[in-house]
Amino acid sequence: MLRSPLPGVTAALHAKENSRAKKWREMAVIRKRGERGEEGGKGGGTEWGFVTVDPKLISRTWKGIPDCWRAAAWHAFLTASAKRRGIGRSDAELVTIYTDFIERPSADDVQIDLDVPRTISSHIMFRRRYHGGQRLLFRTLHALSLYFQDVGYVQGMASLAATLLCYYDEETAFIMLVRMFELRGLEKLYQAGFGGLMQALEEFEGGWMRGGQISRRLTSLGVTPTAYGTRWYLTLFNYSMPFAAQLRVWDVFMLLGDPDPASSAIAPAFSGSLDVLHATSAALIDGMKEILLKSDFEGSMKVLTSWIPVKDEELLMKVVKAEWKGRRKRRAKSAGSISGGVEGLGGASPALQ
């Protein structure tokens, strides 16, 4: 359990968590025990897979992955995405690259060394300078800066790596980061000059916020998504909400962060791959509606840039799911209308055929 239960309900919560874990075990597919060739990184142990298009799996992921299954599920989701899309190297190749990179210097090492002690320093794993988690965090970020040389190291990456190191060894954390960058749009978000980040925030403002009451209020105050969304998107909400709530968002993002086929003409920048992040942002802002509508510029900025004390993760994810599903349905309808319009033109224009 990630929360500290109140006295008297511990047994019931443990029973519920154990029941959920058994259901996930029933959905899991065992790969060859101890095999870490094309399927895994360095080390042994059992490899697990999931049928990522199974409606039952998707439904249960929205409800939250049991923490004992989270590492296996995240890895399986991204592995399946990589195979389906034909993107990226195998785990074994990435481990070999990682082993080579940690012996090489990086131009970003000084900045990484400055940022590592400031990353989740309250967590017991990252408290001691040059020891334990801090050492692993440095090595992982060092290798990532060499792997994506056009991007290099950017400060928000440290929180992503720290989260993954809570669940994986350093080699697998590196694998997961590479796949998140390649398959979940993070490479574009972090690209030099942050042009991709600006596109993502414009996509959120234009496609998810425009026309609403809160949007009109924030626009009148001069509060744009760049003022609060930069940290949300670059850290995947790591510094913005409780860790348990962040993990729930990551659960869905890992599974459903592939491009939406219906979005290529409507949202070409990221093709819908950031829909989970957009839906989460919309849900958080909706939860602040009463405060934002009454606040001035300073008050709005304080609310939007402060840590958000999510008290009910289930309610948050229900709103995120509603936002996500609603957007996907509207996009599919719009794509169908565009397709129908083109078909209706018949052979009038060779350029449209």
Side-chain angles (χ1 to χ4, degrees):
M1 300 297 291
L2 291 173
R3 288 177 281 184
S4 298
L6 296 173
V9 299
T10 303
L13 288 174
H14 282 178
K16 181 179 179 180
E17 189 75 355
N18 289 337
S19 175
R20 294 175 64 245
K22 289 178 181 178
K23 292 178 181 178
W24 276 80
R25 172 62 185 85
E26 292 170 357
M27 294 190 297
V29 178
I30 301 178
R31 297 173 182 161
K32 291 183 180 179
R33 187 177 299 273
E35 178 185 343
R36 300 299 297 257
E38 290 299 308
E39 302 295 340
K42 181 179 178 182
T46 301
E47 291 291 329
W48 301 95
F50 294 89
V51 181
T52 56
V53 295
D54 180 6
K56 183 183 293 185
L57 175 75
I58 296 172
S59 175
R60 287 177 177 170
T61 300
W62 277 109
K63 294 177 181 178
I65 302 172
D67 202 50
C68 61
W69 277 100
R70 187 161 271 129
W74 285 0
H75 182 268
F77 294 167
L78 293 187
T79 299
S81 178
K83 288 184 176 180
R84 183 169 56 252
R85 296 167 61 184
I87 296 176
R89 297 179 169 92
S90 69
D91 284 22
E93 290 175 308
L94 289 174
V95 169
T96 300
I97 291 171
Y98 179 81
T99 303
D100 177 49
F101 279 174
I102 58 176
E103 301 296 332
R104 298 186 190 181
S106 169
D108 295 305
D109 281 347
V110 173
Q111 187 60 50
I112 294 172
D113 185 59
L114 290 173
D115 288 343
V116 162
R118 300 194 289 248
T119 304
I120 319 182
S121 57
S122 60
H123 193 293
I124 189 171
M125 184 176 175
F126 302 100
R127 286 178 185 170
R128 295 187 65 191
R129 186 72 164 136
Y130 302 120
H131 288 77
Q134 285 200 21
R135 183 169 178 269
L136 298 178
L137 183 57
F138 177 89
R139 287 157 63 95
T140 304
L141 294 171
H142 165 90
L144 190 69
S145 71
L146 291 173
Y147 193 88
F148 295 103
Q149 294 189 28
D150 291 339
V151 176
Y153 167 74
V154 181
Q155 191 172 24
M157 297 176 182
S159 62
L160 305 180
T163 298
L164 293 172
L165 284 169
C166 291
Y167 288 92
Y168 302 101
D169 56 53
E170 58 184 293
E171 293 92 349
T172 310
F174 173 73
I175 291 168
M176 293 293 291
L177 281 168
V178 168
R179 291 197 172 144
M180 289 175 72
F181 270 64
E182 293 177 338
L183 302 169
R184 295 296 179 262
L186 297 190
E187 184 177 8
K188 190 170 185 178
L189 276 181
Y190 276 102
Q191 70 183 14
F194 293 109
L197 174 64
M198 294 301 104
Q199 285 182 311
L201 295 175
E202 289 170 5
E203 187 176 284
F204 172 65
E205 183 177 29
W208 296 71
M209 288 284 291
R210 180 165 293 173
Q213 187 179 18
I214 304 177
S215 176
R216 293 194 299 271
R217 176 61 180 171
L218 293 179
T219 299
S220 70
L221 294 173
V223 178
T224 63
T226 55
Y228 56 87
T230 298
R231 184 171 67 170
W232 289 3
Y233 283 71
L234 290 183
T235 68
L236 304 187
F237 304 98
N238 182 264
Y239 293 127
S240 304
M241 62 172 67
F243 189 56
Q246 174 205 334
L247 293 176
R248 292 289 299 274
V249 174
W250 280 42
D251 288 345
V252 182
F253 185 56
M254 294 290 191
L255 177 61
L256 301 178
D258 285 317
D260 178 13
S263 70
S264 57
I266 303 168
F270 288 90
S271 299
S273 61
L274 299 185
D275 281 355
V276 172
L277 304 188
H278 293 328
T280 303
S281 298
L284 291 175
I285 291 175
D286 185 66
M288 307 174 196
K289 181 177 180 179
E290 291 186 10
I291 299 175
L292 292 174
L293 292 177
K294 298 177 182 178
S295 298
D296 56 11
F297 176 83
E298 289 78 10
S300 296
M301 286 296 296
K302 182 178 181 180
V303 170
L304 289 167
T305 58
S306 298
W307 188 77
I308 303 169
V310 177
K311 297 179 180 180
D312 190 338
E313 298 148 24
E314 299 299 332
L315 179 58
L316 170 67
M317 295 311 297
K318 285 180 180 179
V319 177
V320 172
K321 184 178 181 179
E323 292 278 359
W324 183 86
K325 291 184 70 175
R327 176 59 51 180
R328 288 290 173 108
K329 288 180 179 179
R330 290 191 291 274
R331 184 180 293 146
K333 185 177 181 179
S334 298
S337 299
I338 294 174
S339 175
V342 172
E343 291 174 2
L345 292 173
S349 172
L352 296 175
Q353 295 180 5

